[in-house]
Amino acid sequence: WGDRDESLAARNLRNALYRLRQTLPPGVLETGRIWVARGDYPVDLDLEGLGRLEEDPDLRLRCVRPVLEGFSLPDCPGFDEWLREVRALWEVRGRASLLSLAARRAEGDHREALPRLRRLLEAGGGDEEAARMLMRCLGRLGRAGGVEEAYRVLTRRL
């Protein structure tokens, strides 16, 4: 609301917060006159999940979802540009975290690395590093057909 006067912007913010409180479950959002905070409702935030990815090997992520997935402000090109930049940054960080975790898993039991590597390839297309690691793990497990298939998928995508 940068192009609006302060009283109109404040009224729009109050209205947006009211609508959010009506839509979200109680406790998700805590607000005051000049602040907004996450409440104690048990929700999982994508960015917090990314931070826990290294610590929690059982964390179930479909890969890292885009920040504010499904949200857009078509009448605010500045916000949409900012959101594109933030999404790109977190996509890179998420992929790097998944790849790092898969690499550590591949040092031990290669089977543990396979789901993470497959998620990376499914989500992003031609991730050559993940594909090479996947082929190495499959080769060490004696799955020559899997190596060939991973190679074919990667060459199609590249």
Short mmCIF file of all heavy atoms in Angstrom, two decimals, residues 15-47:
data_model
loop_
_atom_site.label_atom_id
_atom_site.label_comp_id
_atom_site.label_asym_id
_atom_site.label_seq_id
_atom_site.Cartn_x
_atom_site.Cartn_y
_atom_site.Cartn_z
N ASN A 15 -8.08 -4.41 7.73
CA ASN A 15 -9.06 -5.23 7.02
C ASN A 15 -8.45 -6.56 6.58
O ASN A 15 -9.07 -7.62 6.72
CB ASN A 15 -9.63 -4.47 5.81
CG ASN A 15 -10.70 -5.25 5.11
OD1 ASN A 15 -11.63 -5.75 5.74
ND2 ASN A 15 -10.59 -5.38 3.79
N ALA A 16 -7.21 -6.51 6.05
CA ALA A 16 -6.55 -7.74 5.62
C ALA A 16 -6.32 -8.68 6.81
O ALA A 16 -6.56 -9.88 6.72
CB ALA A 16 -5.23 -7.41 4.94
N LEU A 17 -5.90 -8.12 7.95
CA LEU A 17 -5.68 -8.94 9.14
C LEU A 17 -6.99 -9.52 9.66
O LEU A 17 -7.05 -10.68 10.08
CB LEU A 17 -4.99 -8.13 10.23
CG LEU A 17 -3.55 -7.73 9.92
CD1 LEU A 17 -3.01 -6.80 11.00
CD2 LEU A 17 -2.67 -8.95 9.75
N TYR A 18 -8.05 -8.73 9.62
CA TYR A 18 -9.36 -9.23 10.04
C TYR A 18 -9.77 -10.41 9.16
O TYR A 18 -10.21 -11.45 9.66
CB TYR A 18 -10.40 -8.11 9.96
CG TYR A 18 -11.80 -8.60 10.14
CD1 TYR A 18 -12.29 -8.87 11.42
CD2 TYR A 18 -12.64 -8.80 9.05
CE1 TYR A 18 -13.60 -9.33 11.59
CE2 TYR A 18 -13.93 -9.27 9.21
CZ TYR A 18 -14.40 -9.52 10.48
OH TYR A 18 -15.68 -9.99 10.65
N ARG A 19 -9.61 -10.25 7.85
CA ARG A 19 -10.00 -11.34 6.94
C ARG A 19 -9.15 -12.59 7.16
O ARG A 19 -9.64 -13.70 7.09
CB ARG A 19 -9.91 -10.85 5.49
CG ARG A 19 -10.99 -9.80 5.21
CD ARG A 19 -10.90 -9.22 3.85
NE ARG A 19 -11.20 -10.23 2.85
CZ ARG A 19 -11.03 -10.05 1.55
NH1 ARG A 19 -10.56 -8.91 1.11
NH2 ARG A 19 -11.32 -11.00 0.71
N LEU A 20 -7.85 -12.40 7.42
CA LEU A 20 -6.99 -13.55 7.72
C LEU A 20 -7.45 -14.26 8.99
O LEU A 20 -7.51 -15.48 9.04
CB LEU A 20 -5.53 -13.10 7.87
CG LEU A 20 -4.76 -12.88 6.59
CD1 LEU A 20 -3.41 -12.23 6.88
CD2 LEU A 20 -4.57 -14.18 5.83
N ARG A 21 -7.75 -13.49 10.04
CA ARG A 21 -8.20 -14.12 11.30
C ARG A 21 -9.51 -14.86 11.10
O ARG A 21 -9.75 -15.88 11.74
CB ARG A 21 -8.33 -13.06 12.40
CG ARG A 21 -7.00 -12.63 12.97
CD ARG A 21 -7.17 -11.80 14.23
NE ARG A 21 -8.01 -10.64 14.06
CZ ARG A 21 -7.60 -9.42 13.74
NH1 ARG A 21 -6.32 -9.20 13.55
NH2 ARG A 21 -8.44 -8.44 13.59
N GLN A 22 -10.36 -14.39 10.21
CA GLN A 22 -11.62 -15.07 9.93
C GLN A 22 -11.41 -16.35 9.14
O GLN A 22 -12.18 -17.30 9.26
CB GLN A 22 -12.59 -14.14 9.17
CG GLN A 22 -12.98 -12.90 9.93
CD GLN A 22 -13.63 -13.23 11.25
OE1 GLN A 22 -14.55 -14.02 11.31
NE2 GLN A 22 -13.12 -12.62 12.31
N THR A 23 -10.38 -16.37 8.32
CA THR A 23 -10.13 -17.51 7.43
C THR A 23 -9.28 -18.59 8.07
O THR A 23 -9.56 -19.78 7.92
CB THR A 23 -9.42 -17.01 6.14
OG1 THR A 23 -10.23 -16.00 5.55
CG2 THR A 23 -9.21 -18.14 5.17
N LEU A 24 -8.24 -18.19 8.79
CA LEU A 24 -7.30 -19.15 9.38
C LEU A 24 -7.85 -19.72 10.68
O LEU A 24 -8.66 -19.09 11.35
CB LEU A 24 -5.97 -18.46 9.65
CG LEU A 24 -5.24 -17.92 8.43
CD1 LEU A 24 -4.04 -17.08 8.86
CD2 LEU A 24 -4.80 -19.05 7.53
N PRO A 25 -7.41 -20.91 11.07
CA PRO A 25 -7.82 -21.47 12.36
C PRO A 25 -7.37 -20.57 13.50
O PRO A 25 -6.34 -19.89 13.39
CB PRO A 25 -7.09 -22.82 12.42
CG PRO A 25 -6.74 -23.15 11.02
CD PRO A 25 -6.55 -21.85 10.31
N PRO A 26 -8.11 -20.55 14.60
CA PRO A 26 -7.72 -19.71 15.75
C PRO A 26 -6.33 -20.07 16.24
O PRO A 26 -5.96 -21.24 16.33
CB PRO A 26 -8.76 -20.05 16.81
CG PRO A 26 -9.94 -20.60 16.05
CD PRO A 26 -9.37 -21.27 14.84
N GLY A 27 -5.53 -19.04 16.51
CA GLY A 27 -4.19 -19.25 17.05
C GLY A 27 -3.09 -19.27 16.02
O GLY A 27 -1.92 -19.28 16.38
N VAL A 28 -3.42 -19.28 14.72
CA VAL A 28 -2.38 -19.27 13.69
C VAL A 28 -1.70 -17.91 13.66
O VAL A 28 -0.49 -17.80 13.54
CB VAL A 28 -2.95 -19.61 12.30
CG1 VAL A 28 -1.93 -19.36 11.21
CG2 VAL A 28 -3.43 -21.03 12.26
N LEU A 29 -2.50 -16.86 13.80
CA LEU A 29 -2.00 -15.50 13.64
C LEU A 29 -2.36 -14.70 14.89
O LEU A 29 -3.52 -14.67 15.30
CB LEU A 29 -2.68 -14.89 12.41
CG LEU A 29 -2.18 -13.57 11.90
CD1 LEU A 29 -0.75 -13.71 11.38
CD2 LEU A 29 -3.08 -13.08 10.77
N GLU A 30 -1.37 -14.07 15.48
CA GLU A 30 -1.59 -13.17 16.61
C GLU A 30 -1.32 -11.76 16.11
O GLU A 30 -0.33 -11.53 15.42
CB GLU A 30 -0.64 -13.51 17.77
CG GLU A 30 -0.80 -14.92 18.31
CD GLU A 30 -2.12 -15.13 19.02
OE1 GLU A 30 -2.67 -14.16 19.59
OE2 GLU A 30 -2.62 -16.27 19.00
N THR A 31 -2.19 -10.83 16.45
CA THR A 31 -2.01 -9.46 15.98
C THR A 31 -2.28 -8.47 17.10
O THR A 31 -3.01 -8.76 18.04
CB THR A 31 -2.97 -9.14 14.82
OG1 THR A 31 -4.31 -9.24 15.28
CG2 THR A 31 -2.75 -10.07 13.65
N GLY A 32 -1.67 -7.32 16.98
CA GLY A 32 -1.95 -6.17 17.82
C GLY A 32 -2.19 -5.00 16.89
O GLY A 32 -2.30 -5.17 15.68
N ARG A 33 -2.22 -3.80 17.43
CA ARG A 33 -2.46 -2.63 16.56
C ARG A 33 -1.28 -2.37 15.62
O ARG A 33 -1.48 -1.87 14.52
CB ARG A 33 -2.75 -1.40 17.39
CG ARG A 33 -4.12 -1.45 18.03
CD ARG A 33 -4.56 -0.13 18.61
NE ARG A 33 -4.52 1.02 17.73
CZ ARG A 33 -5.42 1.29 16.78
NH1 ARG A 33 -6.42 0.47 16.58
NH2 ARG A 33 -5.31 2.36 16.04
N ILE A 34 -0.07 -2.71 16.06
CA ILE A 34 1.09 -2.40 15.22
C ILE A 34 2.00 -3.60 15.00
O ILE A 34 3.14 -3.44 14.59
CB ILE A 34 1.90 -1.23 15.82
CG1 ILE A 34 2.37 -1.57 17.23
CG2 ILE A 34 1.12 0.06 15.79
CD1 ILE A 34 3.36 -0.57 17.80
N TRP A 35 1.54 -4.82 15.28
CA TRP A 35 2.38 -5.99 15.08
C TRP A 35 1.57 -7.20 14.63
O TRP A 35 0.37 -7.28 14.87
CB TRP A 35 3.18 -6.33 16.34
CG TRP A 35 2.34 -6.54 17.57
CD1 TRP A 35 1.98 -5.60 18.48
CD2 TRP A 35 1.73 -7.76 17.99
NE1 TRP A 35 1.18 -6.16 19.45
CE2 TRP A 35 1.02 -7.49 19.18
CE3 TRP A 35 1.72 -9.05 17.50
CZ2 TRP A 35 0.30 -8.46 19.87
CZ3 TRP A 35 1.00 -10.02 18.19
CH2 TRP A 35 0.32 -9.71 19.37
N VAL A 36 2.27 -8.13 13.99
CA VAL A 36 1.70 -9.39 13.55
C VAL A 36 2.73 -10.46 13.89
O VAL A 36 3.91 -10.28 13.65
CB VAL A 36 1.45 -9.41 12.02
CG1 VAL A 36 0.90 -10.75 11.59
CG2 VAL A 36 0.54 -8.28 11.61
N ALA A 37 2.27 -11.58 14.46
CA ALA A 37 3.19 -12.66 14.81
C ALA A 37 2.51 -14.00 14.58
O ALA A 37 1.28 -14.10 14.53
CB ALA A 37 3.62 -12.54 16.28
N ARG A 38 3.33 -15.00 14.45
CA ARG A 38 2.82 -16.37 14.35
C ARG A 38 2.33 -16.79 15.73
O ARG A 38 3.01 -16.61 16.72
CB ARG A 38 3.94 -17.29 13.88
CG ARG A 38 3.52 -18.72 13.82
CD ARG A 38 4.67 -19.58 13.36
NE ARG A 38 4.28 -20.97 13.50
CZ ARG A 38 5.13 -21.96 13.47
NH1 ARG A 38 6.40 -21.73 13.29
NH2 ARG A 38 4.73 -23.19 13.62
N GLY A 39 1.15 -17.37 15.77
CA GLY A 39 0.59 -17.84 17.03
C GLY A 39 1.14 -19.20 17.42
O GLY A 39 2.10 -19.69 16.83
N ASP A 40 0.50 -19.82 18.39
CA ASP A 40 0.99 -21.13 18.86
C ASP A 40 0.26 -22.29 18.20
O ASP A 40 0.45 -23.43 18.59
CB ASP A 40 0.87 -21.22 20.39
CG ASP A 40 -0.57 -21.07 20.87
OD1 ASP A 40 -1.49 -20.91 20.03
OD2 ASP A 40 -0.78 -21.11 22.09
N TYR A 41 -0.55 -22.03 17.20
CA TYR A 41 -1.23 -23.09 16.48
C TYR A 41 -0.17 -23.95 15.77
O TYR A 41 0.76 -23.42 15.17
CB TYR A 41 -2.19 -22.48 15.45
CG TYR A 41 -3.05 -23.48 14.73
CD1 TYR A 41 -4.25 -23.91 15.29
CD2 TYR A 41 -2.67 -24.00 13.50
CE1 TYR A 41 -5.05 -24.82 14.63
CE2 TYR A 41 -3.46 -24.92 12.84
CZ TYR A 41 -4.66 -25.32 13.41
OH TYR A 41 -5.44 -26.24 12.76
N PRO A 42 -0.30 -25.28 15.84
CA PRO A 42 0.74 -26.14 15.24
C PRO A 42 0.68 -26.18 13.72
O PRO A 42 -0.02 -26.98 13.13
CB PRO A 42 0.44 -27.51 15.83
CG PRO A 42 -1.03 -27.48 16.14
CD PRO A 42 -1.35 -26.05 16.48
N VAL A 43 1.39 -25.26 13.10
CA VAL A 43 1.49 -25.24 11.63
C VAL A 43 2.95 -25.42 11.25
O VAL A 43 3.85 -25.12 12.03
CB VAL A 43 0.95 -23.92 11.03
CG1 VAL A 43 -0.53 -23.77 11.27
CG2 VAL A 43 1.70 -22.72 11.57
N ASP A 44 3.17 -25.92 10.07
CA ASP A 44 4.52 -26.12 9.58
C ASP A 44 4.78 -25.07 8.52
O ASP A 44 4.05 -24.98 7.53
CB ASP A 44 4.66 -27.53 8.99
CG ASP A 44 6.09 -27.84 8.62
OD1 ASP A 44 7.00 -27.29 9.26
OD2 ASP A 44 6.30 -28.64 7.71
N LEU A 45 5.79 -24.25 8.73
CA LEU A 45 6.15 -23.24 7.76
C LEU A 45 7.26 -23.79 6.87
O LEU A 45 8.21 -24.39 7.35
CB LEU A 45 6.64 -21.97 8.46
CG LEU A 45 5.64 -21.31 9.39
CD1 LEU A 45 6.27 -20.09 10.05
CD2 LEU A 45 4.40 -20.89 8.62
N ASP A 46 7.14 -23.56 5.58
CA ASP A 46 8.12 -24.09 4.63
C ASP A 46 9.54 -23.70 5.00
O ASP A 46 10.45 -24.53 4.97
CB ASP A 46 7.82 -23.56 3.22
CG ASP A 46 6.51 -24.08 2.68
OD1 ASP A 46 5.97 -25.02 3.27
OD2 ASP A 46 6.03 -23.53 1.69
N LEU A 47 9.76 -22.43 5.35
CA LEU A 47 11.12 -21.98 5.62
C LEU A 47 11.66 -22.60 6.89
O LEU A 47 12.85 -22.89 6.99
CB LEU A 47 11.17 -20.45 5.71
CG LEU A 47 10.71 -19.72 4.44
CD1 LEU A 47 10.84 -18.22 4.61
CD2 LEU A 47 11.49 -20.19 3.23
#
